[in-house]
Amino acid sequence: MRKLTVAVGAVIATTYGGAVILHNPSISASDYGGGSHLETLRKKLHAPDAVVPSRETLQSALKAANKANPLDVLVIGGGATGTGAALDAVTRGLKVGLVEREDFASGTSSRSTKLLHGGVRYLEKAVFNLDYGQYKLVLHALDERKRVIDNAPHLCHALPCMTPCFSWFEVVYYWAGLKMYDLVAGRQLLHLSRYYSRKESVELFPTLAREGNGRSLSGTVVYYDGQMNDSRLNVGLACTAALAGAAVLNHAEVVSLLKDDAGQRIIGARIRNNLTGEEFDTYAKVIVNASGPFCDALRKMADKNAQEMIAPSSGVHIILPDYYSPEGMGLIVPKTKDGRVVFMLPWMGRTIAGTTDSNTSITYLPEPHEDEIQFILDAISDYLNVKVRRADVLSAWSGIRPLAVDPTAKNTESISRDHIVCEDYPGLVTITGGKWTTYRSMAEDAVNAAIKSGKLTPAYGCMTNNLSIVGGEGWDPSSFTVLAQQYKRMKSTHSGKVVPGVMDSAAARHLSHAYGTLAERVAAIAQNENLGKRLAHGYPYLEAEVAYCARNEYCESAIDFIARRTRLAFLETDAARRALPRVIEILANEHKWDNSREKEELQKATDFLKTFKSSKNAQFHDGKHT
């Protein structure tokens, strides 16, 4: 970070130098008299007996969309933006379908830093480059940050992040910059930032280095951003869209796009159900391409000469034991050799550290390179008083950021993180770029563009501003106590005997945060179906969750469960591997798999876990991090 001056607010407000990004004006619910509709919608989504439609029902709805009676919108891509767009469109009263080749959140949306943030670094750029575009990006993201937290309170929370200062100049500089971050947040502020002395800082963050590299800690500045369980939020969006009436189908791949007789407009897609191999056609007035890093491949299905608009960037994260960071306090490393900020944050009982930013190629299953893991370990080791060991890496993964290309950018670090909506082939609206925090408004922009493209007539305006996802409506942080007091974990022993277990606070808290107000449904399965045993030692995940997710969350494979319905693969590769046989046994019972399918699932999941470079499955030669 460079020198901050106080006069910058006025300069930013009068200077514009950002890239032009297509944004359509928002359509509010009141434009269509949608107040009562919103209440009806909420009651439908959060009814005590609400159950998502079966996979067969959803596929039938997609197959029924023909030329004479097409969908209004078909969304391709089941990440945050795609599921967000499906939810936005269906709650406006449109007829909506969504297909995803793998699973919801199987790509970038499950491999994030888990932060909901405005972007401190973008605010700094806005100040020093006098870039009003970057300033607006931060302002908008901070607004959306609060909306995401409010709409999924069980999966999101505020997290304090500590910035170490090694001189009084840094103290003043970071304090002023983060106070400006507070100011920009305005009414959407989570908590005020504040300065802590050296003594206070060490009490709050015991592993923080007091001395090192010829410098001495002067104090720290702590500010707040949001943190989330990204893939569960994504799955929640998909299930909410399904409850609202959208035909969402995971493990369904677009084989080709269908054009009208004149070949001038996209009017549908050929879909393959990857679980059964069956292929069918689905017709729609507009297709929304929300396939993230793969959006260019889809655009080239429409026009083989389409110019690429994705600059893929690799973001690597690692998981370390909990002792690297205290519960409830993150650490931000503001100066790294590639110019990026590195975070070290508590997450789900462990420590997550990342991220890198380097050029990469687009692959279905990206793997972290050893030098990227090393970069993160090096970046945090300078700020800690504990030995940073490569052997402590419980899991490591890579995600591909679909950054929108700016022809003048010299590297991916300087590419704008804003999103782009375009229709470079009639009937195919593409949305790309952006970040998790702004998924809701990205979806809104994409749907607005689709409405314009297809001359659609929605019954209502955008409803997603204050629409809770499933499990979020009426959730309370203390609701886990009901689970702990009223439910038992009935467990089957190896001999077949059923023994009762306590629904301890760790398991109860986990269920409450993962499933929100639906947690009692999972607890009931644990109690009534003798599925109360833990799946992995040291983790609160229960056998009952496998059955629940298979029945209620479109969990169709072992990988779906260990990676996205729970986060076991991301938290500890070895623990996920140990849990696999039981996970597959329960899924086989739910989905009526035969022995060959069970063996196939075990092989696929084992191969998948090999792409997570924990210390147990990575080859490394390291003199420093032993």
Side-chain angles (χ1 to χ4, degrees), residues 256-310:
S256 61
L257 296 176
L258 307 175
K259 296 181 180 179
D260 62 13
D261 293 337
Q264 298 300 308
R265 185 176 177 88
I266 303 295
I267 57 168
R270 180 82 174 164
I271 312 294
R272 181 194 298 125
N273 181 332
N274 282 334
L275 299 179
T276 64
E278 180 187 359
E279 291 190 8
F280 57 91
D281 291 338
T282 297
Y283 289 86
K285 295 173 185 174
V286 188
I287 288 183
V288 172
N289 174 11
S291 50
F294 304 100
C295 80
D296 283 339
L298 201 68
R299 289 171 62 243
K300 287 179 179 180
M301 279 188 188
D303 175 9
K304 65 179 186 296
N305 298 317
Q307 187 178 347
E308 292 186 356
M309 56 193 296
I310 293 297

Side-chain angles (χ1 to χ4, degrees), residues 90-108:
V90 75
T91 53
R92 296 196 203 198
L94 297 172
K95 192 177 173 186
V96 180
L98 177 147
V99 291
E100 158 60 44
R101 178 181 51 216
E102 298 291 336
D103 181 29
F104 308 119
S106 59
T108 308

